[in-house]
Amino acid sequence: MLRVLLLTLFVVTIAHTELCKPDAQNAFKVRLSIKTALGDNAYVWDANEEYLFKAVVAFAMRRYSSKSTTQISNVLLCNVTDRVSFWFVVTDSSENVTTVPGSEVEAAIRMNRNRINNAFLLSDKTLQFLKITSTLSPPVEPSTPVWLIVFGVVLCLIVAGILFLIVAGIRQRKKKNKESTERENLEDKGEVTVTVENGIPCETLDLKAGHINGVFAADDERFTSL
Amino acid sequence: LSMRPEIHKEDGRPKWDNKFQYILSCIGFAVGLGNVWRFPYLCQIHGGGAFLIPYFIALLFEGIPLLHLELALGQCLRKGSIGVWNTISPYLGGVGIGSWTVSVLVSLYYNTVLTWVMWYFINSFQEPLPWSICPLNENRTGLNEECYESTAVNYFWYRKTLNITPDVTESGTLQWWLILCLATCWAIVYLCTIRGIETTGKAIYVTAIFPYLVLTIFLIQGLTLPGATEGLAYLFTPNLNTLKNPRVWLDAATQIFFSLSLAFGGLIAFSSYNPPKNDCEKDAVTVAIVNSVTSLYASIPVFSVLGFKATTAYWDCLDRNIISIINEFDLPEESIMRQNYTAWVNLLNSSYPEKIAGLRLKSCDLQEFLDQSVSGTGLAFIVFTQAIILMPGSQAWAILFFIMLFTLGLSSMFGNIEGVFTPLLELRVLSNSTPKELLSGVICLVCFLLALCFTLGSGSYWIDIFDSYAGSVPLLVIAFFEVIGVAYIYKIKRFSKDVEWMTGRKLNLYWHITWRFISPLLLLIVFMAFVTLQIQKPPSYAAWNPKYEGFPMKEEKVYPPWVQAICVLLAVLPCVCVPLTALFHLIKQKCRSKDPSFVPPEVFSSQGANS
């Protein structure tokens, strides 16, 4: 009896070492970066965490193939390093000597990646399954691009400002016209004496001799002699 | 005295509300985007603190004299650029026309740069910032290829903003989002310049002061960032050897010149609205010094942020190497830190050289990251935006930064538009009854329609062309003729009496010497050197071509002949106005003198015909 037990154990151990080793068929390498993800709240990777990992992978396999035959003991871990990284395989429940095809394991992990990540408080980047790429999430696009809204606000403000200034200018001009007609009436009575032509008071213009360019006034000593 | 005081009593010319508005307008015009993105770059590549030596020499002998000249001219003759030069001599009217043409050309492309700033501004209200992530490709299997090969920031700038074509000859299509932003920018310019200085005078309080506030905020933030001191040390460490290179002196002279916005006609327009008895000498010195101090002040936050970015990139590089080593050797996390990285690498290299070689670790050198210097649009839209993503609260920093750039550029646009608006107003292009609002509206509308060609796919290449050719050589030529015109045709003696009348004290010997000899000579040397350097190699440009083998490096291409012809046209057109106008008047004079019934009016003649 004891001999049979020892023999089974021996076979299982051999099988274990045969099935789970680096670069074995259908084996996957896992790498965790716990300290990067959690900083001071990082937990230590020990046998309990390994147990959790086996449980989660078994759960993923069950959910994927929906036959409740995968047991925690079917998930074999090996070569755990300080990094923390290790290899794992999933064996067939019926015979403990062959491994589940890699594609199935991959699909199962992919389907349940979110649950696996959350069990360890990690993300796709900090819990890496080296041969399994993660699908990218589609970008979040709001129904109206945000920039269009901001643009609309800015444009409305500017147009409002322009219209306000134009209307104010027209009103000011009307007031000035009314004032200048009043002034003309007063001028006829000889009360206001400033006459304006082209915005320049007439006194500054020598109306007889035309417009003298003040820069070059007839100050003879200004002109340079030849 | 050549000016009669009574002439200026009530000529109905608009005037500044107060002196501060005028000074602020001049400062706003001078302080522009170049102070933020060109001066720090020049400082960095030309030996840091040592660059300040040629910069201040150029300021002393070229910047301040020319600035004083323009301000005094406008204040004395009280007209826009075209009117002023027509007054000095009809033969020199071309100088004014040249100034006006340059102002038009520069207004066109300058506002398009503001369009880009506005586009980034309105995109800064999103979380996450659109230039921080790459979009997915069509079948959602990976990131967009162009974005993945370059960076997300590059992709947003070249593809999402410019939608740039790989070649300047391929025009591409009009980008509708840029057209919307362009319309907005021109609407803002119209809003602010609608009644000339009445409205810009009010707007300038905001647009000239706000950038200083934001620069101060960025200064405080920048200095607290890690790696800021490296950036600043890199910027200001003087390397006196660079002074032996004549290129440094040329860059200093051109930087001072373009930074003060001389020869645009805008400064003449601004000072023409002054009361005649105003101390233009003090104004000129004030504006020039404030401009230079602003350049220095702006370079501190810029380089703090660049130092931060370089340090972050260096740390990223180290971290990536550390991760690959840790993963390869299955070492525990945090066993290799940045500090002991080199020690570990050496240790591992001695024991497992093949493994280390197989990892293909990148060499991380902080100096190399600091050396990646960029100026111009690259600094603002690529480098700075990348740095902003790394800061906490990036949206707020992005919004602040782009508002600052916008107000900096807007206050310079006021000067440009004033340089276009004032001469047209004086030439009485439209009849007297039409309001000013209509003239400014027409200017803004025409400029907007012309600037639509910069919203094409190849628009940014064309803006580079305009910037290099229309906004450089013609200004030197016009400034040269300005100084010669005032010093030798109007004559310094007469001008110094005018300035004495305006400022109330005798003109310093410094001004006499610089206006008569030093400035014209310096301008001539700068012009010759500039043209020589341009001719030495065929004009080329760097194109963004995703299909290029060396992508994401830019592809060096040469301009085709028809584009080169346009470059020459842009450079020559404003300059050729000067001789053409002189020729035109000469011919008119000859025709008139042949006409027997003609009675010569009292026209100013510099040869003293009335003596």
Side-chain angles (χ1 to χ4, degrees):
Chain A
M1 180 63 194
L2 195 66
R3 217 182 278 165
V4 174
L5 211 62
L6 277 172
L7 202 64
T8 338
L9 203 65
F10 187 61
V11 170
V12 168
T13 326
I14 298 287
H16 185 222
T17 355
E18 288 291 320
L19 292 173
C20 176
K21 55 178 194 230
D23 298 318
Q25 201 188 38
N26 302 329
F28 291 92
K29 183 165 181 183
V30 182
R31 189 188 286 144
L32 286 89
S33 310
I34 309 174
K35 283 206 189 121
T36 317
L38 300 171
D40 289 332
N41 298 331
Y43 47 81
V44 178
W45 187 260
D46 52 15
N48 298 330
E49 307 285 342
E50 285 181 28
Y51 191 80
L52 177 61
F53 183 81
K54 290 186 199 175
V56 166
V57 172
F59 160 75
M61 291 305 298
R62 284 194 183 204
R63 245 182 125 219
Y64 173 71
S65 54
S66 45
K67 48 179 166 81
S68 316
T69 48
T70 323
Q71 304 292 325
I72 291 184
S73 49
N74 290 126
V75 183
L76 308 171
L77 263 61
C78 52
N79 281 67
V80 184
T81 64
D82 282 335
R83 167 67 182 85
V84 173
S85 68
F86 50 84
W87 290 82
F88 78 93
V89 275
V90 182
T91 54
D92 261 337
S93 51
S94 42
E95 328 142 24
N96 230 0
V97 277
T98 55
T99 52
V100 173
S103 48
E104 265 188 60
V105 180
E106 185 173 331
I109 302 278
R110 257 226 185 94
M111 194 177 101
N112 298 290
R113 189 62 188 268
N114 210 21
R115 304 291 298 270
I116 301 176
N117 286 348
N118 281 331
F120 290 95
L121 308 172
L122 299 171
S123 68
D124 277 1
K125 275 184 82 180
T126 39
L127 171 57
Q128 292 168 298
F129 290 85
L130 287 186
K131 273 184 276 175
I132 305 178
T133 52
S134 45
T135 50
L136 300 158
S137 55
V140 174
E141 279 200 17
S143 47
T144 8
V146 177
W147 71 266
L148 216 53
I149 300 174
V150 180
F151 172 76
V153 168
V154 170
L155 198 61
C156 286
L157 287 172
I158 295 165
V159 170
I162 293 177
L163 287 174
F164 169 70
L165 282 176
I166 292 182
V167 166
I170 295 176
R171 257 199 235 151
Q172 210 178 38
R173 213 177 313 277
K174 278 206 197 127
K175 215 167 64 172
K176 222 166 48 172
N177 278 343
K178 215 166 47 168
E179 269 179 27
S180 68
T181 47
E182 283 175 19
R183 246 167 150 218
E184 276 171 25
N185 295 337
L186 288 173
E187 263 178 41
D188 291 340
K189 300 181 195 164
E191 283 186 29
V192 177
T193 49
V194 175
T195 48
V196 172
E197 175 174 79
N198 277 354
I200 306 172
C202 287
E203 307 144 2
T204 65
L205 297 173
D206 186 353
L207 288 169
K208 290 194 198 121
H211 188 171
I212 299 180
N213 190 335
V215 176
F216 313 112
D219 190 358
D220 286 327
E221 63 193 64
R222 290 284 108 205
F223 292 134
T224 54
S225 48
L226 279 170
Chain B
L1 193 70
S2 54
M3 298 306 295
R4 294 252 170 84
E6 52 264 38
I7 292 179
H8 311 296
K9 243 198 295 203
E10 281 295 323
D11 54 5
R13 202 175 170 72
K15 43 188 202 294
W16 298 105
D17 288 344
N18 49 51
K19 175 85 180 275
F20 185 58
Q21 226 179 49
Y22 160 64
I23 294 283
L24 217 54
S25 297
C26 289
I27 291 177
F29 184 30
V31 171
L33 297 168
N35 293 67
V36 169
W37 70 35
R38 186 143 169 86
F39 177 80
Y41 163 75
L42 286 177
C43 242
Q44 182 200 352
I45 61 169
H46 288 319
F51 180 69
L52 294 177
I53 299 177
Y55 183 74
F56 277 111
I57 292 179
L59 180 68
L60 210 58
F61 291 117
E62 189 193 343
I64 298 184
L66 284 170
L67 188 61
H68 185 201
L69 187 81
E70 289 211 2
L71 292 182
L73 213 55
Q75 198 174 292
C76 169
L77 298 174
R78 303 176 62 72
K79 287 215 172 95
S81 57
I82 299 186
V84 153
W85 293 103
N86 269 329
T87 312
I88 290 197
S89 162
Y91 295 101
L92 279 182
V95 177
I97 298 179
S99 279
W100 185 85
T101 315
V102 172
S103 281
V104 170
L105 292 174
V106 171
S107 300
L108 288 180
Y109 79 80
Y110 205 81
N111 218 17
T112 316
V113 175
L114 289 187
T115 307
W116 298 335
V117 174
M118 162 148 286
W119 166 253
Y120 267 78
F121 166 71
I122 59 185
N123 269 300
S124 305
F125 286 91
Q126 298 177 40
E127 165 74 28
L129 289 171
W131 56 81
S132 60
I133 44 168
C134 271
L136 300 178
N137 58 16
E138 281 101 31
N139 45 12
R140 302 254 187 99
T141 53
L143 300 172
N144 180 300
E145 196 188 318
E146 188 182 347
C147 186
Y148 181 69
E149 305 223 338
S150 58
T151 60
V153 188
N154 275 332
Y155 177 75
F156 187 73
W157 169 238
Y158 287 110
R159 191 55 49 211
K160 282 295 168 66
T161 307
L162 300 175
N163 201 9
I164 206 166
T165 53
D167 198 283
V168 70
T169 48
E170 285 175 46
S171 301
T173 52
L174 292 171
Q175 318 303 329
W176 62 271
W177 58 91
L178 286 182
I179 297 182
L180 286 181
C181 292
L182 187 71
T184 316
C185 284
W186 276 111
I188 295 179
V189 170
Y190 179 50
L191 176 67
C192 295
T193 57
I194 192 167
R195 283 207 274 268
I197 64 164
E198 282 172 49
T199 40
T200 61
K202 312 275 186 315
I204 201 78
Y205 286 120
V206 174
T207 59
I209 298 185
F210 189 76
Y212 287 97
L213 286 175
V214 177
L215 275 176
T216 312
I217 297 176
F218 263 99
L219 182 82
I220 301 173
Q221 156 74 351
L223 289 175
T224 59
L225 293 169
T229 33
E230 272 87 20
L232 285 175
Y234 185 69
L235 169 69
F236 285 119
T237 313
N239 175 13
L240 291 164
N241 285 327
T242 53
L243 294 182
K244 294 186 204 141
N245 181 6
R247 189 66 209 255
V248 176
W249 295 86
L250 177 66
D251 277 341
T254 46
Q255 171 61 15
I256 268 289
F257 187 79
F258 300 134
S259 177
L260 285 171
S261 308
L262 299 166
F264 277 91
L267 289 166
I268 296 182
F270 279 156
S271 60
S272 69
Y273 296 116
N274 266 339
K277 277 201 176 260
N278 176 49
D279 194 344
C280 50
E281 183 179 347
K282 209 160 63 150
D283 296 342
V285 176
T286 312
V287 171
I289 291 185
V290 169
N291 180 54
S292 296
V293 168
T294 308
S295 292
L296 282 170
Y297 189 63
S299 52
I300 300 179
V302 167
F303 265 85
S304 312
V305 171
L306 289 182
F308 162 69
K309 180 177 174 296
T311 308
T312 318
Y314 171 64
W315 284 347
D316 277 345
C317 178
L318 277 183
D319 286 343
R320 259 179 280 131
N321 286 352
I322 290 176
I323 290 281
S324 10
I325 295 180
I326 287 184
N327 286 348
E328 179 67 19
F329 290 94
D330 282 322
L331 301 165
E333 284 182 282
E334 295 185 2
S335 53
I336 306 182
M337 301 298 286
R338 291 179 194 141
Q339 296 89 310
N340 49 16
Y341 166 75
T342 9
W344 267 101
V345 170
N346 290 335
L347 177 70
L348 290 170
N349 210 7
S350 49
S351 358
Y352 307 97
E354 325 79 39
K355 266 194 171 180
I356 293 282
L359 285 177
R360 265 182 279 158
L361 299 171
K362 281 180 108 163
S363 71
C364 299
D365 182 17
L366 181 60
Q367 205 56 24
E368 196 187 309
F369 287 111
L370 283 171
D371 275 336
Q372 290 166 358
S373 53
V374 204
S375 81
T377 51
L379 178 70
F381 299 116
I382 298 180
V383 172
F384 227 79
T385 43
Q386 195 155 32
I388 284 178
I389 302 173
L390 304 165
M391 294 183 203
S394 348
Q395 277 80 11
W397 295 114
I399 293 172
L400 268 181
F401 178 64
F402 290 115
I403 296 188
M404 175 190 81
L405 283 187
F406 192 75
T407 46
L408 272 175
L410 194 63
S411 48
S412 300
M413 270 306 287
F414 292 160
N416 280 326
I417 293 289
E418 227 15 78
V420 177
F421 183 64
T422 307
L424 282 181
L425 204 61
E426 283 158 10
L427 282 180
R428 310 268 157 89
V429 166
L430 305 174
S431 76
N432 271 345
S433 55
T434 46
K436 272 193 239 175
E437 287 90 336
L438 192 64
L439 180 62
S440 48
V442 165
I443 293 177
C444 289
L445 187 67
V446 169
C447 286
F448 165 66
L449 292 173
L450 289 176
L452 280 177
C453 61
F454 292 124
T455 57
L456 289 169
S458 53
S460 85
Y461 299 132
W462 285 107
I463 289 190
D464 280 334
I465 291 177
F466 268 69
D467 193 28
S468 320
Y469 293 99
S472 59
V473 170
L475 294 173
L476 290 170
V477 171
I478 291 170
F480 178 72
F481 279 112
E482 280 189 3
V483 182
I484 296 291
V486 168
Y488 296 106
I489 300 186
Y490 187 70
K491 297 267 187 319
I492 281 280
K493 235 168 73 164
R494 179 199 308 269
F495 193 60
S496 69
K497 286 254 166 39
D498 293 337
V499 176
E500 267 177 54
W501 183 82
M502 289 194 294
T503 61
R505 53 175 185 276
K506 214 164 156 44
L507 202 64
N508 203 338
L509 186 66
Y510 162 70
W511 304 112
H512 280 282
I513 300 180
T514 46
W515 284 341
R516 263 195 251 239
F517 311 115
I518 303 190
S519 296
L521 193 65
L522 211 59
L523 278 174
L524 199 63
I525 298 176
V526 169
F527 172 71
M528 301 294 236
F530 202 81
V531 170
T532 322
L533 274 170
Q534 294 276 48
I535 310 180
Q536 260 173 12
K537 50 181 173 69
S540 64
Y541 65 107
W544 179 263
N545 185 4
K547 301 208 177 42
Y548 178 51
E549 311 93 45
F551 189 76
M553 300 299 288
K554 293 214 209 160
E555 191 181 351
E556 283 288 322
K557 289 191 181 171
V558 178
Y559 287 126
W562 66 273
V563 175
Q564 289 190 25
I566 294 184
C567 299
V568 171
L569 188 71
L570 281 175
V572 160
L573 189 68
C575 309
V576 93
C577 290
V578 181
L580 276 184
T581 323
L583 204 66
F584 170 71
H585 279 282
L586 202 68
I587 295 177
K588 205 162 83 165
Q589 186 79 333
K590 287 266 162 66
C591 291
R592 279 196 177 173
S593 58
K594 291 202 185 123
D595 183 359
S597 61
F598 175 67
V599 177
E602 285 187 51
V603 156
F604 167 65
S605 148
S606 64
Q607 271 62 51
N610 295 345
S611 61

